[in-house]
Each structure stands twice: as structure tokens, then as C-alpha cells.
Amino acid sequence: MVEWRTCLSAAPAQQVYSGLWRDKDVTIKCGIEETLDSKVRSDAAPRRELVLFDKPTRGTSIKEFREMTLSFLKANLGDLPSLPALVGQVLLMADFNKDNRVSLAEAKSVWALLQRNEFLLLLSLQEKEHASRLLGYCGDLYLTEGVPHGAWHAAALPPLLRPLLPPALQGALQQWLGPAWPWRAKIAIGLLEFVEELFHGSYGTFYMCETTLANVGYTATYDFKMADLQQVAPEATVRRFLQGRRCEHSADCTYGRDCRAPCDRLMRQCKGDLIQPNLAKVCALLRGYLLPGAPADLREELGTQLRTCTTLSGLASQVEAHHSLVLSHLKTLLWKKISNTKYS
């Protein structure tokens, strides 16, 4: 039995609730529209509305449903050699009553779940330490671990008031109301590890397409947890949206809020490679999160490394060694400051 508690979303189309299930705090999600596509520019081509429970349309064999699922995952994650293993997990999930068969109703339910961007991401990243664990599901409703603490306390303010806060006040709120600096350093290390997890994982590369502190969460022990995976997108999905898209400026080549590609002005088409990799965007975020209140003996070097990191550009796979080196230096610098203390 699931106990429904507080509504956590102000948007009618985003049904998110806190709850209790088996004596655990959980987050309940259902009927959530694809937020990334809805944030694409208004002049974008209309998105095909997803109709849940529309497939399969008839009884199907396990083999047919496996092929159908594999085709769907290839389209969304890319043609990866690891996909058959993921398909196997989906088939196990589809067998809700554990009778070693997938009925039409079961197939329709799991198909509806797969249409949800966040659910597909949870499934793809379920072995990653910094993504919330998937606890249960039925139809297009699913349960994850309880909502982590928010890193940006101003996020609790009404949405209309947030843009009115000057940057200086936002920084002050973070320093006064947020965790102590060593705890912030620990959270930041987890965020950097998450960036590593998104790059060349078992099921491909993923992009963070809304890089804000509102999506940075942490547990009671200050371990980083991504608060909202709906803003993360598979590389294949982003490339499919951007490649060949008509444009006049780079701003026309934007997926989500900040996954931006160059515009070839001669051809008037978007290119498929992003201008900024995940790491550069995260480092820009961390400058405002880590530098206020940082220890005096660390502030200058930390600021230099974060500035260097924010200048990274180009497709991450083309400069993989450089990105890995920058990320490693940042993690090492932070760990040296908090290791062998109560904060580690």
C-alpha cells in the first residue's frame, strides 16, 4: 500500500508526490509530460504527442515484444552492443505477475513507462550511484527514492519570485542557509562523479540539458543525488533533434535549456556536436556554489581550476583525455581538503 502525502509540483501536467511505501520515503510520479521538448524554442517543429498505452495493439509473442523494445531503445539510446541486456531487464519488468509470460496488458503498461523520459533514464542509469533508485512501477506510475535535499534553498521560493533575486542575494542565501563549505565540497565531488557516469556509460553518453542548482540534491549524509533526471537526455536523442535542423543562429540549435550546437550559417543547418560539454556547464555552476566561503588557502587555486574547466568546448569524445585530466584535478583538490575529516 502506498501512502500519498504532499504534492511536489505546481504544474498540473507534472504529477509528483511524496509518499510512504514499505516504511520508506518515496517519490511518486505519474502522467509527466516530456519537459525537455516543451522547453525547446517556440519555433521548433511540433513534437509528436506521445499516446500512452497505444502499443502493442494486439497480443504478441515474447520474441515480437523483444524486437519491438529493442528497436525503441536503439532509436532513443543509439545502436549499442549492450542493449540486449537492457531489453532483458525490460522483459523481466513487464512480467508483473511473475508467471514467465508477458500479457498484452503487461506489455502495454511497460511500453507506457518507457515513453517517460525520466523512467528510461532511471532504467539506463540504475547501476549508477548518483541516480535515484527505481523502487516500483505500475502502468505509467512509478516510485523512486525519496526526494533528496535541495542544494539551492532559493528553489523553495515561489517560481515568480526566483528571477527577481539578484545574484548576490542568491549567493548569500546559499552561504547562510546551505550546508557548510566542506559538505558542499563533498556534494560537488559527487556531482563531478555523476558527470563521469554520464560519459560513455554502459548505455551510451548522456547530456545534462538544464544545468541548475535546482537539480543538485543530496542525501542526509551529503552524498550527491541528481534531483531530476528529466533534464538529462541520451546523446542519440539530442543528435536526432539537432542534426540538420534549420537555423539562423546557434540559439536556434538548442535542445532543452542549454544543450546548444553550432549553426552552420552557410548551410543554415544545425550541427550535431554540442558547443559545451557537461563538465564545462557543471564547473560554471560550481563557481557560484563552491567559491563563496571557500577556505582562503584554497580559493585561488580552486577558482583557477574552475575557470579552466568552464572554457572546455567541443564534443567531449574528441578531447576525452583533457576532460578527464581537468575533472581528476578538481576532484583531487577538493578531496585533499576534506579527506581524513568528519566531512569525508
Side-chain angles (χ1 to χ4, degrees):
M1 176 70 71
V2 178
E3 180 182 331
W4 296 61
R5 291 185 169 176
T6 308
C7 179
L8 302 176
S9 173
Q14 297 183 14
Q15 301 295 310
V16 184
Y17 302 88
S18 64
L20 191 68
W21 182 59
R22 296 181 178 176
D23 297 322
K24 292 181 180 178
D25 289 323
V26 296
T27 303
I28 307 162
K29 302 187 177 186
C30 58
I32 303 172
E33 292 184 348
E34 297 297 302
T35 57
L36 277 176
D37 283 345
S38 67
K39 290 179 180 178
V40 169
R41 291 172 57 84
S42 60
D43 57 350
R47 177 174 64 90
R48 181 182 65 86
E49 290 298 323
L50 296 173
V51 181
L52 298 180
F53 308 106
D54 63 335
K55 294 180 181 179
T57 56
R58 57 179 176 76
T60 183
S61 68
I62 290 289
K63 181 180 179 181
E64 286 175 324
F65 189 61
R66 179 184 286 110
E67 291 173 352
M68 174 180 164
T69 304
L70 181 59
S71 295
F72 174 82
L73 294 177
K74 281 182 179 179
N76 285 274
L77 300 178
D79 192 358
L80 306 167
S82 56
L83 287 187
L86 189 58
V87 172
Q89 293 180 43
V90 172
L91 291 176
L92 286 175
M93 288 173 47
D95 186 12
F96 287 97
N97 60 6
K98 308 303 178 188
D99 64 352
N100 296 315
R101 294 185 304 166
V102 178
S103 68
L104 180 59
E106 288 172 330
K108 283 180 175 289
S109 289
V110 79
W111 186 261
L113 281 170
L114 289 175
Q115 310 310 304
R116 300 302 188 191
N117 179 67
E118 187 181 40
F119 185 86
L120 181 58
L121 268 292
L122 284 171
L123 196 61
S124 305
L125 300 171
Q126 62 183 318
E127 297 177 0
K128 305 301 183 183
E129 179 184 354
H130 302 297
S132 295
R133 285 194 306 121
L134 183 64
L135 300 177
Y137 38 83
C138 181
D140 65 334
L141 179 149
Y142 56 96
L143 278 67
T144 66
E145 292 174 309
V147 176
H149 303 284
W152 187 44
H153 290 267
L157 295 172
L160 291 176
L161 292 181
R162 293 177 205 166
L164 303 179
L165 286 176
L169 180 55
Q170 292 181 20
L173 280 174
Q174 179 57 59
Q175 194 167 348
W176 295 336
L177 303 177
W181 188 88
W183 290 131
R184 279 185 273 149
K186 184 180 180 183
I187 295 165
I189 291 168
L191 176 55
L192 292 170
E193 289 173 347
F194 183 66
V195 171
E196 289 181 295
E197 292 171 352
L198 293 182
F199 186 60
H200 285 345
S202 302
Y203 301 114
T205 295
F206 297 85
Y207 294 132
M208 299 170 69
C209 291
E210 184 173 347
T211 317
T212 68
L213 280 177
N215 291 329
V216 177
Y218 57 90
T219 67
T221 55
Y222 297 94
D223 292 311
F224 168 78
K225 286 284 185 181
M226 190 66 179
D228 187 358
L229 279 176
Q230 290 189 90
Q231 317 309 325
V232 178
E235 180 182 29
T237 301
V238 176
R239 280 184 170 277
R240 185 172 61 247
F241 177 85
L242 293 173
Q243 194 74 52
R245 186 180 187 81
R246 184 170 177 79
C247 63
E248 297 291 338
H249 309 281
S250 289
D252 300 325
C253 304
T254 305
Y255 184 91
R257 177 174 290 180
D258 56 25
C259 279
R260 183 169 295 180
C263 174
D264 184 331
R265 294 191 179 183
L266 183 62
M267 301 296 294
R268 293 190 176 181
Q269 287 187 341
C270 298
K271 298 180 180 179
D273 296 349
L274 298 186
I275 294 171
Q276 262 193 320
N278 290 333
L279 182 56
K281 292 189 288 186
V282 163
C283 286
L285 194 68
L286 290 180
R287 288 177 70 179
Y289 187 61
L290 284 180
L291 290 180
D297 61 340
L298 182 74
R299 192 175 299 119
E300 184 177 352
E301 186 179 358
L302 179 59
T304 299
Q305 289 204 21
L306 287 173
R307 280 194 300 273
T308 300
C309 179
T310 58
T311 63
L312 293 172
S313 62
L315 190 64
S317 59
Q318 295 173 354
V319 283
E320 182 173 349
H322 187 200
H323 284 225
S324 298
L325 190 62
V326 171
L327 196 150
S328 177
H329 281 172
L330 262 174
K331 285 173 56 181
T332 301
L333 183 66
L334 294 172
W335 266 125
K336 278 184 178 179
K337 199 63 184 176
I338 66 172
S339 61
N340 300 319
T341 70
K342 66 177 183 179
Y343 299 102
S344 60

